[in-house]
Amino acid sequence: MYNFDNQYNRKNTECIKWDSISNQDLLPMWVADMDFEAPAPIYNAFVNRANHHVYAYSQLSDKYYQAVINWMQRRHNFHIEKDWIVLTPGVVIALTLGVQAVTEPGEEVMLLSPVYGPFRDAITCSDRKPLEIPLLNNDGYYTIDFEAMEKQITSKTKAFMLCSPHNPVGRVWAKEELEQIVAFCQKHNLYLIADEIHNDLVFKEHIVINNISGDLAERTILCTAPSKTFNLAGLQASNIIIKNEGLRNKFKTLLKKLHLGDPNAFIDSVVTAAYTECDQWVDELNIYIKENMNYFCKEINAITPLKMWNPEGTYLAWVDCREMNMTDNELDTFFKERCRLVLNGGHLFGSEGSGFVRVNLACPRAYVEEAVKRIKEGMASLNK
């Protein structure tokens, strides 16, 4: 059993989540990383590699690729081959290069909103146009508006961006929904760029989009990474799965132009250890996060007028604050000054997120309980 209750001090380590906040009385529950210690195999892999004392140019071993292949097969029933794997320094750069690989300037990329902000950035910074389809909010449970997708698509729409599991609304898309997405992409001859970075952090079955259709898999750029699963964002390693050789080569050419794609000295050993020795840690992590989520959801829904739906995946709670009748700036001020919490404003995920906040619950239960206490105090102060 792992001790996720341990309050590991991250302050003064130059971590963005804690050390970019000048007011030390604030409790940060914003940036999507975890406040848990790394499991021993990962820590040991770092130390063993560091003990070599030479940190020069590096490459990935066959053990690395096999570890990724085996993890995807074991955890997701998803078969991949070594040649399909392209290393990038992160999923965000892969989203950007993916957009550039499958579209031309001025063309449109469809996405579902609200969604992780860099989706839009990947499109607009590449001189493409985002075509946003609002998700349908059914009392906190979001579904895809396929009718709107059909109505709004144009001849300039060349790709579809999917977040699965979805950040920030917490949906793990059902097989039927994924089948409809695949059918839509095939009908309109779209490329698919899928971000599945949260694929291991789920409370129900997650289905890899490539497993829905072998045909669309030939037109898919699938973004995966150990960063969310094992809290390794600082390692800067993502595994982008591109089955089609022509598409893969186009993507790799764009990567090469930026002189990216070479691993640092720690990636090979650390990721290999994560994918071969940490299954139990991930299993227990999901149980712990789910318990945090259950507790937080129950408590939040008891605080009028706040509301939230208990998510199916990720460690991110999506709280509806619209009945507080505050602007997004006022909400930010309320949570910082009256609740002493740093959260992500929902407007960062698109206009459909206005009036919401995203709360990171990948932390010891004591932090979650403290957050609930502070929110109750903050709400009570409004009535004085």
Side-chain angles (χ1 to χ4, degrees):
M1 295 289 293
Y2 292 92
N3 182 16
F4 295 102
D5 286 326
N6 183 32
Q7 298 178 39
Y8 204 81
N9 184 10
R10 297 183 62 192
K11 293 181 179 179
N12 301 314
T13 62
E14 301 306 326
C15 75
I16 293 174
K17 186 176 186 179
W18 289 83
D19 290 335
S20 65
I21 300 170
S22 57
N23 184 350
Q24 295 299 301
D25 188 43
L26 296 175
L27 178 60
M29 304 183 79
W30 58 304
V31 176
D33 65 18
M34 298 190 276
D35 289 321
F36 306 125
E37 313 177 54
I42 289 177
Y43 169 81
N44 291 335
F46 271 110
V47 172
N48 291 339
R49 181 62 187 87
N51 282 337
H52 185 264
H53 297 186
V54 177
Y55 316 113
Y57 297 116
S58 302
Q59 63 183 5
L60 298 178
S61 66
D62 287 338
K63 288 183 179 180
Y64 176 98
Y65 288 106
Q66 198 58 50
V68 176
I69 290 168
N70 291 347
W71 179 271
M72 291 298 176
Q73 184 66 55
R74 185 169 71 251
R75 307 287 299 200
H76 300 286
N77 192 32
F78 176 41
H79 170 78
I80 60 176
E81 298 178 8
K82 175 182 175 180
D83 291 344
W84 303 358
I85 303 171
V86 182
L87 180 76
T88 70
V91 162
V92 172
I93 184 65
L95 295 176
T96 303
L97 296 183
V99 167
Q100 294 174 9
V102 301
T103 63
E104 297 295 332
E107 292 181 338
E108 298 171 343
V109 179
M110 184 177 286
L111 67 161
L112 306 174
S113 183
V115 73
Y116 180 50
F119 271 52
R120 292 179 191 83
D121 296 340
I123 298 167
T124 57
C125 78
S126 302
D127 295 322
R128 277 70 166 172
K129 297 179 180 180
L131 180 57
E132 301 195 27
I133 307 298
L135 291 166
L136 299 173
N137 184 352
N138 307 287
D139 197 24
Y141 179 81
Y142 286 80
T143 55
I144 301 170
D145 190 344
F146 289 101
E147 288 186 10
M149 286 165 55
E150 289 288 357
K151 289 179 180 178
Q152 295 189 39
I153 192 169
T154 75
S155 59
K156 292 184 178 181
T157 310
K158 303 299 181 182
F160 185 94
M161 294 184 80
L162 175 69
C163 193
S164 175
H166 192 94
N167 172 15
V169 307
R171 280 298 316 278
V172 176
W173 305 115
K175 182 180 179 181
E176 294 75 18
E177 292 170 306
L178 295 174
E179 287 174 341
Q180 284 183 271
I181 291 172
V182 167
F184 177 81
C185 290
Q186 290 177 322
K187 175 182 177 181
H188 297 284
N189 201 32
L190 302 181
Y191 285 94
L192 177 64
I193 304 168
D195 175 3
E196 297 196 3
I197 196 171
H198 292 274
N199 59 1
D200 295 309
L201 303 171
V202 295
F203 318 124
K204 59 175 285 190
E205 182 187 13
H206 167 264
I207 301 173
V208 179
I209 188 70
N210 288 38
N211 279 345
I212 298 295
S213 168
D215 290 339
L216 186 60
E218 296 286 345
R219 297 172 60 83
T220 297
I221 295 173
L222 180 68
C223 302
T224 74
S227 52
K228 289 291 182 283
T229 308
F230 303 103
N231 206 30
L232 290 173
L235 190 64
Q236 296 195 321
S238 295
N239 298 303
I240 313 306
I241 314 301
I242 309 175
K243 182 179 180 181
N244 183 275
E245 183 179 6
L247 180 56
R248 184 169 65 248
N249 288 339
K250 193 171 184 179
F251 182 92
K252 291 170 73 172
T253 296
L254 292 170
L255 193 65
K256 187 176 181 180
K257 286 181 178 179
L258 298 176
H259 302 280
L260 298 173
D262 293 328
N264 64 52
F266 292 90
I267 287 177
D268 185 81
S269 55
V270 171
V271 174
T272 300
Y275 280 142
T276 57
E277 302 179 58
C278 297
D279 284 69
Q280 183 180 347
W281 185 85
V282 174
D283 292 340
E284 293 184 23
L285 169 71
N286 273 316
I287 293 171
Y288 192 89
I289 291 173
K290 178 59 176 172
E291 291 173 349
N292 273 356
M293 200 67 74
N294 290 342
Y295 168 80
F296 189 75
C297 184
K298 180 181 178 181
E299 293 291 331
I300 288 298
N301 284 322
I303 304 173
T304 305
L306 303 181
K307 295 184 292 185
M308 69 169 283
W309 171 76
N310 204 334
E312 298 169 333
T314 81
Y315 47 69
L316 306 166
W318 186 239
V319 181
D320 187 346
C321 310
R322 289 175 296 177
E323 291 185 14
M324 293 181 69
N325 296 316
M326 293 184 178
T327 66
D328 292 310
N329 286 336
E330 288 170 341
L331 273 178
D332 182 68
T333 299
F334 167 76
F335 281 106
K336 283 181 179 176
E337 295 186 0
R338 291 183 180 262
C339 304
R340 293 168 291 133
L341 295 172
V342 182
L343 311 176
N344 286 119
H347 63 285
L348 300 174
F349 303 88
S351 60
E352 292 77 18
S354 181
F356 290 75
V357 292
R358 192 188 75 171
V359 189
N360 180 349
L361 299 183
C363 57
R365 172 62 68 85
Y367 295 1
V368 182
E369 293 173 349
E370 179 64 23
V372 168
K373 176 186 174 184
R374 294 186 183 195
I375 292 171
K376 288 180 178 179
E377 291 172 350
M379 295 298 291
S381 73
L382 291 176
N383 299 322
K384 290 183 178 178

